[in-house]
Amino acid sequence: MQDGHDARDLSAMDLNLLVVLDALLAERHVTRAAARLGMTQPACSHALGRLRRALGDPLLVRGTRGAMVPTPRAEALAPGLRAALRGLASAIRGEARFDPGAARRTFRIATGDYAELVLLPPLLSLLAREAPGIDVWMLPLSLTQEGVVAQLSSGAVDVVIGPPRRGWPEGLYLRPLFDERFRCVVRRGHPAARSALTLDRYCALSHLLVAPRGTPGSLVDDALAALGRSRRVAATVSHFLVAPHVVAATDLMATLGARIVDAAAAPLGLAVLPPPLELAGFSFAMIWHERTHHDPAQRWLRDQLARAAS
DNA sequence: TAAAGTTCCTCGTTCCGCGC
DNA sequence: GCGCGGAACGAGGAACTTTA
């Protein structure tokens, strides 16, 4: 193959000498070329000597008034050499840039249905305008911290979006995305929707709980317990987007994040009520691995997720 | 097989001679 | 006087050998 021949030819040549030759051809002066390269004149002179032996040509010969004059071989080499070095410099610098308008690649984001509902529409809108070659694949979020770490460290996903839990291991980074408040919802026509919701009435109702991990307890139950109160959770679902549909078809009340309530209330005919107790709300953050921390494309993705969340 | 020791090579520097 | 290039030297590292 031609490439193989080229590589073997180049392997016999000290490529640093080509940088010296480029400087010599530009300056036509060994001392000035050496200064440009940060080396001494003799070192540059020796490099020129090695170039002469390697290429079998004097390359630069002494002319009148001390100026070094390139030979025809050197003049023939100059344009290609300049272009090749410029290309190399560009290739090296290119690793530090990311052009979203021209890029074609797929990002993988692991999260749940809640963050998908909140973030995906604005994110895809941004991508359609500014990065038409970028695809986004949403993947299921691991339910354990070890699983999330494995997803990130293996490269299976680029970013994880979820609650900003404490105690992440070293090598993971976290950036808050958005905060969320709670709203209560019942079907329109539900007796609870006819008057103000008191804490007593709230505790007396049957509730629907979204439990992605399938375990009991929630921020709401913790807040009730702090007041010495409790509620009956009559049913659980594992996905947030299912909850409004269940509420619309039953007499259950759900206490959900405001964004999902706002999206579902009108289409499903739900009544929205303020919670009758102080609830701290919750938040989402994106988490990524040190492996991708400095990658320009990944940094761009994280910036777009932050824009979508805002 | 890995660590330590030895040899050899490359490269850069200083010094100095030579040519323009 | 300026600048190029050769000779000599030292530093650093690669490659090779020896040893435990």
Side-chain angles (χ1 to χ4, degrees):
Chain A
M1 291 197 297
Q2 186 61 43
D3 284 351
H5 284 300
D6 290 345
R8 280 193 293 275
D9 292 344
L10 286 174
S11 69
M13 163 71 82
D14 179 354
L15 298 184
N16 284 319
L17 292 177
L18 300 181
V19 179
V20 175
L21 178 57
D22 180 57
L24 283 165
L25 290 171
E27 297 290 346
R28 302 192 176 193
H29 194 280
V30 174
T31 301
R32 286 199 293 269
R36 172 194 274 216
L37 297 169
M39 63 200 301
T40 65
Q41 174 271 319
C44 192
S45 175
H46 283 300
L48 176 57
R50 292 194 294 277
L51 278 162
R52 285 166 170 162
R53 285 191 292 278
L55 299 175
D57 188 272
L59 298 174
L60 289 139
V61 296
R62 195 192 293 270
T64 57
R65 299 177 193 170
M68 299 296 280
V69 180
T71 64
R73 175 83 194 281
E75 287 189 323
L77 277 170
L81 177 62
R82 187 88 280 266
L85 292 177
R86 196 177 293 133
L88 273 174
S90 174
I92 293 166
R93 281 196 305 270
E95 292 180 357
R97 287 202 306 268
F98 175 68
D99 181 1
R104 275 209 61 82
R105 63 174 293 173
T106 300
F107 289 113
R108 291 170 172 78
I109 302 169
T111 188
D113 58 336
Y114 197 104
E116 285 180 356
L117 173 75
V118 172
L119 292 176
L120 202 51
L123 177 65
L124 293 179
S125 176
L126 281 171
L127 296 185
R129 286 199 310 272
E130 301 174 16
I134 299 294
D135 299 331
V136 175
W137 287 18
M138 306 303 283
L139 303 175
L141 178 63
S142 175
L143 296 180
T144 66
Q145 181 167 303
E146 294 76 16
V148 169
V149 173
Q151 282 182 308
L152 289 168
S153 60
S154 68
V157 302
D158 300 304
V159 175
V160 159
I161 297 171
R165 301 173 218 155
R166 296 178 184 277
W168 289 104
E170 287 286 315
L172 293 184
Y173 294 84
L174 185 146
R175 179 173 172 181
L177 279 176
F178 62 89
D179 298 320
E180 186 65 294
R181 307 293 299 176
F182 283 108
R183 298 277 187 274
C184 297
V185 283
V186 290
R187 65 173 174 79
R188 200 170 290 159
H190 190 288
R194 293 179 191 144
S195 57
L197 184 62
T198 65
L199 183 58
D200 286 340
R201 295 186 69 186
Y202 181 84
C203 292
L205 290 169
S206 292
H207 291 262
L208 174 70
L209 171 66
V210 181
R213 293 180 181 76
T215 54
S218 67
L219 292 172
V220 174
D221 293 294
D222 291 345
L224 286 170
L227 297 173
R229 307 297 293 267
S230 64
R231 63 175 181 172
R232 179 194 169 207
V233 173
T236 68
V237 293
S238 56
H239 293 91
F240 287 94
L241 292 180
V242 175
H245 292 271
V246 174
V247 168
T250 67
D251 280 340
L252 296 175
M253 167 173 278
T255 306
L256 303 169
R259 286 177 173 84
I260 202 166
V261 168
D262 292 345
L268 296 176
L270 302 178
V272 182
L273 305 166
L277 71 165
E278 192 67 33
L279 294 171
F282 57 99
S283 59
F284 278 84
M286 57 182 154
I287 301 147
W288 64 94
H289 194 266
E290 186 173 26
R291 186 174 53 77
T292 61
H293 185 58
H294 297 288
D295 180 72
Q298 300 280 340
R299 287 164 60 181
W300 176 86
L301 170 65
R302 296 194 291 267
D303 287 343
Q304 303 322 301
L305 284 167
R307 286 176 68 194
S310 67

